[in-house]
Amino acid sequence: MTDYIEQDASRTVEFPMSETIASSKRPARPTVLATIGAFATRALLRIKHVPEQMFDVTLFPVIFLLMFTYLFGGAIAGSTAEYLQFLLPGILVMTVSQITMYTGIDLNNDIRKGIFDRFRTLPIWLPAALIGALLVDVIRYSIASIIMIGLGLLLGFRPEGGFIGVLGALVLILIFSFSLSWIWTALGLIVRSEKSLMMLSFLVMMPLTFISNVFVDPSTLPSWLQGFVSINPISILATAVRGFMHGTVTVEQIIWVLVVSVILTAIFAPFTMYLYRNKE
C-alpha cells in the first residue's frame, strides 16, 4: 500500500497508509448474551423515559378487576366475594394475554423509523433484537400479575394453593405469554402500521377472551359453544392457573398449557426469524 510522506525543512517522515486509516484494533464481535442484554436495556430505557406506556400494565388491570367483580359478581355468582375467587385468575390471564402485542408494536415502529435497517447492518446476532425485547416484556407481564394479585388480596381473594400455587400460576402465565408474543412479533413485521397491528390483535384476542372460561363457568354456556371453549388456548391456560391458585391443578392441565406454548413457539418463532432476516 502506498505510504503517505510528510516533509518539512528538517526531516521526512513516512506513515503507512494502513496505520493512517485505522490505527487501533477492531473491537471484538459482541457475544450473543451481550447483544441480547444491550437490546433488553434499550427496551427498559424506553420504559424509563416513556413511563405512560405502562398504563396498560398498571391501570387497566385494576379497572377490569373492579368493574367485573362489582358489576357482574352478584348477577353471575350471587356474591362478589365468591365471584372474585373465580374471576381473578381469569382476569389475570386476560390482562397478560392482551398486552403481549406490544413487542410487535415496538418492532413495527422501529421498521417505520428506519432503526430496523440499521440493526441489520450491525455485526451482531440478529435475533437478539427480538429476544431482548421479548425478555423485557416478561418483566411487563410480571408487573401486571403482581398488581392484579396484590389488589385481589386486598379485595378478599384467598388462594388455597398458597404461595407455591400462586408462583406456579405466574410461571405458567409467563411461559404462555412469551410464546403468544411471537404471533404479534411476526405480524409487526408484516403490517404497515401499529394501528393495524392493534386492530388485528383486538379482533383475535377479544373473541378468544370472552368466548372462554375467564368470566363464566363453561357449563352455563350453550352446548354448541362449550366445544370451542374447551379447546380455546385462553380457557386452557385459565383452567390451569385456577387450579394452581386453588390447589386443584392436575398434571394434565399443566401439560396442555405447555403443549400449546411449544406449538405456538415452534410455528411462529421460526416464521418471525425468517421475516426478520428477509424484510425489505
Side-chain angles (χ1 to χ4, degrees):
M1 183 177 290
T2 304
D3 291 342
Y4 172 76
I5 302 176
E6 179 182 317
Q7 293 182 327
D8 57 25
S10 61
R11 61 196 178 105
T12 300
V13 182
E14 295 184 1
F15 296 98
M17 186 63 73
S18 59
E19 293 184 8
T20 305
I21 296 174
S23 59
S24 61
K25 186 178 180 181
R26 182 183 295 272
R29 182 173 179 145
T31 64
V32 171
L33 290 179
T35 309
I36 292 174
F39 280 103
T41 302
R42 174 178 179 258
L44 288 174
L45 288 174
R46 182 180 297 165
I47 294 175
K48 175 184 176 181
H49 294 293
V50 191
E52 56 268 23
Q53 67 178 291
M54 295 296 289
F55 283 166
D56 61 317
V57 175
T58 55
L59 187 59
F60 290 164
V62 172
I63 293 174
F64 270 114
L65 184 61
L66 294 175
M67 182 175 66
F68 280 96
T69 298
Y70 292 106
L71 286 181
F72 305 115
I76 294 177
S79 165
T80 56
E82 182 179 345
Y83 186 54
L84 180 63
Q85 311 307 313
F86 177 86
L87 177 67
L88 188 136
I91 287 285
L92 184 59
V93 168
M94 181 194 78
T95 300
V96 176
S97 298
Q98 288 184 343
I99 63 177
T100 55
M101 64 179 176
Y102 283 95
T103 301
I105 291 176
D106 289 341
L107 177 59
N108 188 269
N109 284 329
D110 285 344
I111 292 172
R112 290 189 297 105
K113 294 177 180 178
I115 302 174
F116 170 82
D117 293 328
R118 174 56 179 154
F119 288 161
R120 293 205 301 178
T121 64
L122 297 176
I124 59 174
W125 187 56
L126 283 180
L130 300 180
I131 296 176
L134 288 170
L135 290 178
V136 172
D137 275 347
V138 171
I139 297 176
R140 221 186 239 125
Y141 309 150
S142 301
I143 293 173
S145 301
I146 292 171
I147 290 173
M148 291 290 291
I149 294 172
L151 178 60
L153 292 173
L154 290 176
L155 295 177
F157 178 70
R158 296 296 179 263
E160 298 176 9
F163 176 78
I164 299 299
V166 172
L167 185 61
L170 292 180
V171 170
L172 213 56
I173 289 173
L174 294 180
I175 292 173
F176 179 85
S177 299
F178 182 82
S179 65
L180 188 62
S181 296
W182 286 106
I183 298 177
W184 313 124
T185 305
L187 289 175
L189 290 163
I190 296 173
V191 300
R192 297 183 180 181
S193 69
E194 61 179 280
K195 292 182 180 179
S196 300
L197 179 58
M198 292 180 69
M199 181 58 66
L200 284 173
S201 66
F202 179 80
L203 291 175
V204 172
M205 295 307 301
M206 190 74 169
L208 286 178
T209 300
F210 282 90
I211 308 177
S212 69
N213 62 359
V214 166
F215 301 106
V216 297
D217 187 339
S219 62
T220 63
L221 300 175
S223 57
W224 59 268
L225 194 56
Q226 292 181 20
F228 175 78
V229 172
S230 64
I231 62 173
N232 183 344
I234 300 298
S235 295
I236 293 173
L237 177 61
T239 299
V241 169
R242 282 196 184 98
F244 261 120
M245 289 190 169
H246 295 305
T248 60
V249 69
T250 64
V251 174
E252 182 182 3
Q253 292 171 349
I254 298 173
I255 290 176
W256 272 115
V257 174
L258 297 178
V259 167
V260 171
S261 300
V262 169
I263 290 174
L264 290 177
T265 304
I267 294 174
F268 289 99
F271 181 54
T272 301
M273 290 296 104
Y274 172 79
L275 293 175
Y276 190 74
R277 294 178 183 277
N278 295 277
K279 180 72 176 176
E280 296 181 358

